[in-house]
Amino acid sequence: MKHNWWKALSVVLLLYVAVAGLLMPVPRLAILNESIRNLYFHVPMWFGMTFILIASVYYSVRYLRTPAPELDIRAHESARIGILMGCVGLATGSIWAKYTWGAWWTNDPKLNGAAIAMLIYGAYLVLRSSFTDEQQRARISAIYNIFAFATAMPLFYILPRLTDSLHPGAGGNPAFARYDLDSDMRMVFYPAVIGWTLLAFWLAQLASRVSLLKLKVYEKQLA
């Protein structure tokens, strides 16, 4: 149990975010109004996605240095959870856009960059399924995973800031911290970032354990 404290912390934080995020007062800002509460869900999911994708690249680099099936599995499952978090982030962002910008999707560089990044990572899953040789699949997937991360991160966080964008913090549009000076939202936002990030690692750990068990069963059947 002492090694699983972070899982309990994840549950506690997400319960707190779910309750406080819906009930605690928020700043009354033009256009956003009550939809600003989505900040506790949409943005922290992107943080969780980013951190778990970093972990995925870490395992891929380790695999290229020391090939081991466990490292390939952990890289793959971490990438899958990252893609899941990214897709949910896109969905919550689309809902937010509908209630603030009046459309489910706009020609915004942040949205388009995020969609392209998700397609790049979707190609990673397709690439893995196209190989039958396990070692070849693991090696090429590891290389592509590093490429995907190096390509996706600028699409997420750099290029949108260099152009005009409806998103806060991009193209001269101030971020929430610039005008949320009462810091009330930070009491929920920061725990949300930690909670969603821990949940991403928890899901990746569970998925990796299942895949490792399947691998052991398969190896026993071959023996």
Side-chain angles (χ1 to χ4, degrees):
M1 182 65 184
K2 64 181 180 179
H3 299 296
N4 295 322
W5 61 268
W6 59 277
K7 299 176 183 177
L9 178 61
S10 174
V11 173
V12 171
L13 288 176
L14 290 178
L15 287 175
Y16 165 73
V17 170
V19 175
L22 296 176
L23 299 181
M24 285 184 65
V26 293
R28 298 299 174 184
L29 301 177
I31 301 177
L32 291 172
N33 299 313
E34 288 292 324
S35 72
I36 197 174
R37 296 182 186 276
N38 198 18
L39 182 70
Y40 305 137
F41 305 95
H42 170 64
V43 178
M45 288 177 185
W46 288 114
F47 276 97
M49 174 204 69
T50 301
F51 287 123
I52 198 64
L53 290 180
I54 291 174
S56 177
V57 170
Y58 167 74
Y59 288 123
S60 290
V61 172
R62 285 187 59 189
Y63 178 87
L64 292 176
R65 296 182 61 184
T66 309
E70 179 180 353
L71 295 175
D72 173 56
I73 288 174
R74 293 189 182 279
H76 176 220
E77 297 301 341
S78 296
R80 287 181 59 196
I81 298 303
I83 294 171
L84 173 63
M85 299 287 285
C87 289
V88 176
L90 282 177
T92 54
S94 179
I95 295 173
W96 202 355
K98 176 62 178 178
Y99 286 94
T100 54
W101 303 339
W104 295 103
W105 197 272
T106 63
N107 190 27
D108 184 90
K110 185 83 170 183
L111 272 66
N112 293 335
I116 294 172
M118 287 294 96
L119 289 175
I120 291 173
Y121 267 101
Y124 166 79
L125 300 179
V126 175
L127 178 68
R128 285 189 63 91
S129 64
S130 64
F131 290 94
T132 55
D133 183 86
E134 295 181 2
Q135 293 184 353
Q136 185 182 30
R137 177 182 61 196
R139 184 171 61 257
I140 295 179
S141 295
I143 296 172
Y144 183 88
N145 192 23
I146 298 171
F147 159 79
F149 182 83
T151 305
M153 290 303 107
L155 290 172
F156 279 126
Y157 300 113
I158 299 178
L159 293 182
R161 292 181 178 274
L162 303 178
T163 59
D164 292 333
S165 174
L166 295 171
H167 269 79
N173 190 4
F176 287 104
R178 294 284 298 276
Y179 48 80
D180 177 30
L181 300 180
D182 56 13
S183 297
D184 285 343
M185 295 190 69
R186 297 176 186 174
M187 296 176 59
V188 183
F189 177 74
Y190 292 143
V193 171
I194 298 172
W196 285 108
T197 300
L198 291 178
L199 178 63
F201 279 87
W202 190 359
L203 292 174
Q205 184 188 72
L206 291 175
S208 297
R209 285 181 175 178
V210 172
S211 295
L212 287 170
L213 287 174
K214 290 181 179 179
L215 178 61
K216 290 181 179 179
V217 171
Y218 176 73
E219 290 176 344
K220 286 184 178 179
Q221 291 176 345
L222 294 179

